[in-house]
Amino acid sequence: MLSARQRQLDRVRTFLFGSRTHYGAVFTVFLYALLIAIGFVYLYPLLFMFVTSIKSPEDLLNPMVQWVPTQIYTENYAKAYRVLNYPQTLTASVVMSVVPSALQVAVASLVGYGLARYRFPGKGLVLALVLATFIIPPQNTVIPQMLTYKQYGLLGSPLSLFLPAAFGQGFKSAIFILVFYQTFLTLPKVLEEAARLDGASDLRIFLTIALPAAVPAFIVLFVFSVVWYWNETFLTVIFLEGGVTTLPMQLSKFAQAYENLYPPGVVNIFDRLNEAIKMAGTFLNILPLLVMYFILQRWFVESIERTGIAGE
Amino acid sequence: MSVQGRTRRFELSFRAREALHGYGFIAIWVVGFLLFTLLPLVETFRYSLHRVTVTAETIQLEPLGWANYTRALFTDPTFVELLIAYSVETLVSVPIVLIFSLIIALFLNLRFRLKGFFRTVFFLPVVITSGPVIVELAAQGATSAPGIADSPAVAAVLAELPRALRNPVEYLLTSFILILWFSGVQILIYLASLQRVDKALYEAAAIDGAGAWEMFWKITLPSLTTATIVNAIFTVITLSHFSENPVTRYIYGQTYAVQGGIGYASAMAFLYFVAMAALLALIYLGLTVWARKEAR
């Protein structure tokens, strides 16, 4: 029999260190402290960016003003909006990420399905080559591509990004093919076989039976593809320069574009380029992605956990 | 004609038809691979052996043998220096990304309140890690551990270290937060494989009296071997293909430089590819050897 004192001690110990079913207080505090610290690492740049972007030129010069600006100064956003040529670059960015992504996901699903469902000689080789396309750095293929595009007058045209995507060679295409391959391997074959016995054609089986079953994978991969195309600057600068300007492209020459609009010799000192305006530009650049992410996030993360994007 | 003979013929044609339909599904990719990957790759290699002059109409090639390669390796001091720095930085970053993303994934796999909020925050890097954004943030000092590398004590310790060790440590201190920004997808991959570990294993181990620490080393870690290898490869490739990578920037700059040119840039691109492949092989071998030792 336990004494009252013993029982009390036990209760304290369970509270502090937990039992089989509950985490103890010590662990909980430790867990939240770490989570908050790491979360801060990711939120700090965003907070910093946002706070700096609403500082007036006076606040920027005032060493007393660190995290709380004396006023909300929206003029930075008005300037960044003009410098980025926002309506135009935003539309360009949306088109240049959504269209190749749709093409890329559609073709990757076809290829992934073909690899998962059919036996044919050379399948191992194709899989190895798909992996190889993931490893080959873009600068090993980009120059001849650029010269060929130039020859056909495609340089600066949206087609220069659409064409590779339509042929399964879009940005990071290997990941998409391999995830679809994995997804179709794990889906049951029975329905498809039954449809085949009923005389359905291969393409019809793919479109009406396999595709609907893989919808979660489609959506997750599409979102990933949009994000990666949106953030891509190496290829877009080479292929689109002179034709289409996406948001990140415009951001990378922000200083130059600013001085074209507001020549430093002409405008007064408060209208010169400062970090507040640059941060406003950066924030406008990631804002569409943030909005998309916060709308989709719950759904997005959960379906990744379900589709098993890890690919084993 | 026996029945057996007829079925075999049917078998064969069925096999052939299946293969044909399979080729039908992947044909578009094969054409794309030949046109947009293999052909340009071979072409780049050809350029790397020549001096390339592009005029309005034609591309002129002047054979140089391996001169572009020897020049990059033995005469150009910048390229080799950048390549060494890149290798060191990659070797330092990969373990950090792996350990960090594993820890985050383990946390996100626990039950606690506000999990949804933290999960949203931790996957932010997946969405916003792009070249120009990182450059703007780094320029404002938002990516380095604030002030650690500048403090006199740390500077004194750094000065004492041998040069070979000083560079990685310095890189670690100044870019620690930047490295963490490359962990988004890796956290996802770890989380997905953690959720596929059989719960019954943990219950059985708990009944046998194993603690959380033992369960981590004996059950969790061995189940994550594949995910770790996938993550390591993914990290190396993301870091190497990142558009603000100094080597990439240098090669790109040399493409249009007067002294450089397309031929020279192509040669450097291939050397960079070889270095990256070597790093991949090194990390892959290291991890598989380690996994085998763990399994024993």
Side-chain angles (χ1 to χ4, degrees):
Chain A
M1 219 183 93
L2 292 167
S3 66
R5 192 180 151 69
Q6 185 92 42
R7 227 175 302 149
Q8 207 173 358
L9 255 177
D10 264 359
R11 212 174 306 144
V12 171
R13 190 185 308 139
T14 328
F15 172 74
L16 281 180
F17 302 109
S19 62
R20 295 252 334 251
T21 49
H22 294 280
Y23 305 126
V26 172
F27 181 74
T28 312
V29 168
F30 172 74
L31 176 69
Y32 279 105
L34 254 171
L35 286 173
I36 290 168
I38 297 167
F40 185 71
V41 167
Y42 289 135
L43 284 181
Y44 171 76
L46 283 182
L47 275 178
F48 177 86
M49 196 196 303
F50 181 70
V51 170
T52 311
S53 72
I54 54 169
K55 279 184 183 170
S56 63
E58 293 86 357
D59 279 356
L60 277 178
L61 292 172
N62 185 348
M64 302 291 287
V65 179
Q66 279 284 341
W67 284 100
V68 188
T70 52
Q71 51 163 325
I72 292 173
Y73 186 77
T74 51
E75 194 53 31
N76 296 326
Y77 279 94
K79 281 184 190 140
Y81 184 91
R82 280 194 62 196
V83 173
L84 283 176
N85 196 4
Y86 205 59
Q88 234 169 5
T89 48
L90 181 69
T91 321
S93 262
V94 170
V95 171
M96 294 319 295
S97 51
V98 167
V99 177
S101 296
L103 291 169
Q104 155 140 301
V105 171
V107 173
S109 69
L110 266 178
V111 178
Y113 183 77
L115 289 170
R117 282 292 189 259
Y118 294 89
R119 282 169 301 174
F120 51 84
K123 191 156 108 177
L125 178 70
V126 172
L127 275 171
L129 289 178
V130 169
L131 260 181
T133 60
F134 183 47
I135 296 173
I136 297 170
Q139 59 270 27
N140 282 56
T141 54
V142 88
I143 299 169
Q145 277 183 23
M146 184 194 76
L147 293 176
T148 315
Y149 284 148
K150 197 168 158 193
Q151 213 178 338
Y152 291 103
L154 287 175
L155 212 57
S157 138
L159 276 181
S160 56
L161 280 193
F162 297 170
L163 278 178
F167 281 93
Q169 306 293 318
F171 192 51
K172 300 197 188 193
S173 62
I175 295 181
F176 297 89
I177 294 172
L178 292 175
V179 173
F180 272 120
Y181 171 64
Q182 191 64 31
T183 310
F184 287 124
L185 272 187
T186 53
L187 286 178
K189 261 172 127 169
V190 192
L191 267 181
E192 292 168 36
E193 274 159 8
R196 184 159 291 132
L197 285 178
D198 287 345
S201 72
D202 290 56
L203 199 63
R204 188 155 166 207
I205 293 172
F206 171 69
L207 288 175
T208 54
I209 300 176
L211 273 197
V215 163
F218 265 95
I219 299 177
V220 170
L221 288 178
F222 180 72
V223 171
F224 261 95
S225 184
V226 168
V227 167
W228 281 334
Y229 263 105
W230 185 286
N231 286 334
E232 164 58 40
T233 48
F234 183 75
L235 293 177
T236 48
V237 166
I238 292 174
F239 289 156
L240 300 179
E241 191 71 76
V244 185
T245 309
T246 64
L247 260 181
M249 280 164 77
Q250 186 71 12
L251 181 68
S252 59
K253 49 185 183 198
F254 193 79
Q256 201 192 334
Y258 188 89
E259 282 173 8
N260 286 342
L261 263 185
Y262 303 92
V266 179
V267 296
N268 72 55
I269 191 149
F270 286 122
D271 281 336
R272 298 249 178 96
L273 182 59
N274 57 37
E275 38 308 7
I277 300 170
K278 272 193 198 159
M279 285 292 119
T282 312
F283 197 76
L284 281 178
N285 189 354
I286 61 171
L287 189 65
L289 289 180
L290 282 181
V291 170
M292 179 182 83
Y293 178 63
F294 282 114
I295 293 173
L296 291 176
Q297 62 85 18
R298 162 166 298 220
W299 190 89
F300 175 69
V301 173
E302 275 164 18
S303 62
I304 285 167
E305 289 170 0
R306 258 185 280 127
T307 44
I309 218 164
E312 263 146 44
Chain B
M1 262 285 159
S2 67
V3 179
Q4 218 186 347
R6 232 183 302 146
T7 35
R8 191 182 299 144
R9 210 177 323 132
F10 174 71
E11 252 314 88
L12 263 178
S13 73
F14 177 75
R15 267 282 173 95
R17 210 169 50 195
E18 185 187 353
L20 220 60
H21 288 171
Y23 288 133
F25 274 102
I26 62 160
I28 195 165
W29 183 88
V30 174
V31 172
F33 176 75
L34 294 177
L35 278 181
F36 291 100
T37 304
L38 191 63
L39 197 69
L41 190 69
V42 173
E43 199 66 6
T44 308
F45 185 65
R46 208 160 64 93
Y47 289 163
S48 75
L49 301 175
H50 293 82
R51 174 177 290 127
V52 184
T53 351
V54 180
T55 59
E57 278 107 50
T58 53
I59 301 160
Q60 276 168 349
L61 297 178
E62 187 188 318
L64 281 180
W66 297 94
N68 280 328
Y69 287 89
T70 48
R71 180 178 153 200
L73 285 178
F74 305 117
T75 351
D76 187 340
T78 328
F79 180 67
V80 173
E81 206 169 282
L82 284 175
L83 206 59
I84 291 172
Y86 151 78
S87 310
V88 170
E89 287 176 10
T90 309
L91 286 177
V92 172
S93 307
V94 169
I96 293 174
V97 169
L98 287 182
I99 294 169
F100 180 76
S101 51
L102 176 61
I103 291 173
I104 300 268
L106 285 170
F107 280 154
L108 289 180
N109 202 31
L110 298 174
R111 299 162 282 120
F112 56 88
R113 244 171 267 169
L114 288 177
K115 187 167 158 175
F117 167 75
F118 283 111
R119 210 161 45 177
T120 311
V121 171
F122 292 165
F123 293 139
L124 269 177
V126 178
V127 182
I128 42 181
T129 309
S130 77
V133 172
I134 293 281
V135 168
E136 284 300 327
L137 286 175
Q140 305 298 322
T143 52
S144 62
I148 293 181
D150 306 328
S151 83
V154 175
V157 172
L158 273 179
E160 288 299 310
L161 289 173
R163 207 179 118 77
L165 208 61
R166 196 192 314 156
N167 287 350
V169 173
E170 210 162 21
Y171 168 71
L172 191 62
L173 287 176
T174 50
S175 332
F176 186 69
I177 292 179
L178 190 63
I179 298 174
L180 300 191
W181 276 84
F182 286 94
S183 314
V185 174
Q186 289 84 333
I187 298 174
L188 275 179
I189 292 178
Y190 269 135
L191 196 55
S193 4
L194 274 176
Q195 288 176 340
R196 247 175 292 147
V197 181
D198 193 353
K199 300 271 184 306
L201 278 176
Y202 292 104
E203 279 158 25
I207 289 167
D208 286 347
W213 185 248
E214 268 173 298
M215 284 195 233
F216 171 74
W217 289 102
K218 295 270 155 64
I219 302 173
T220 314
L221 209 54
S223 337
L224 293 177
T225 313
T226 320
T228 304
I229 291 172
V230 170
N231 273 344
I233 294 173
F234 187 85
T235 312
V236 172
I237 289 178
T238 321
L239 289 173
S240 312
H241 292 187
F242 186 51
S243 64
E244 299 304 324
N245 183 312
V247 187
T248 311
R249 293 241 58 99
Y250 183 70
I251 294 175
Y252 180 66
Q254 288 292 309
T255 311
Y256 299 106
V258 183
Q259 280 119 26
I262 289 174
Y264 186 47
S266 303
M268 287 194 292
F270 267 95
L271 288 171
Y272 181 51
F273 187 16
V274 169
M276 191 188 90
L279 280 176
L280 271 179
L282 188 72
I283 289 168
Y284 180 78
L285 276 180
L287 279 173
T288 38
V289 165
W290 168 79
R292 211 167 295 148
K293 213 182 271 171
E294 279 293 300
R296 235 184 281 135

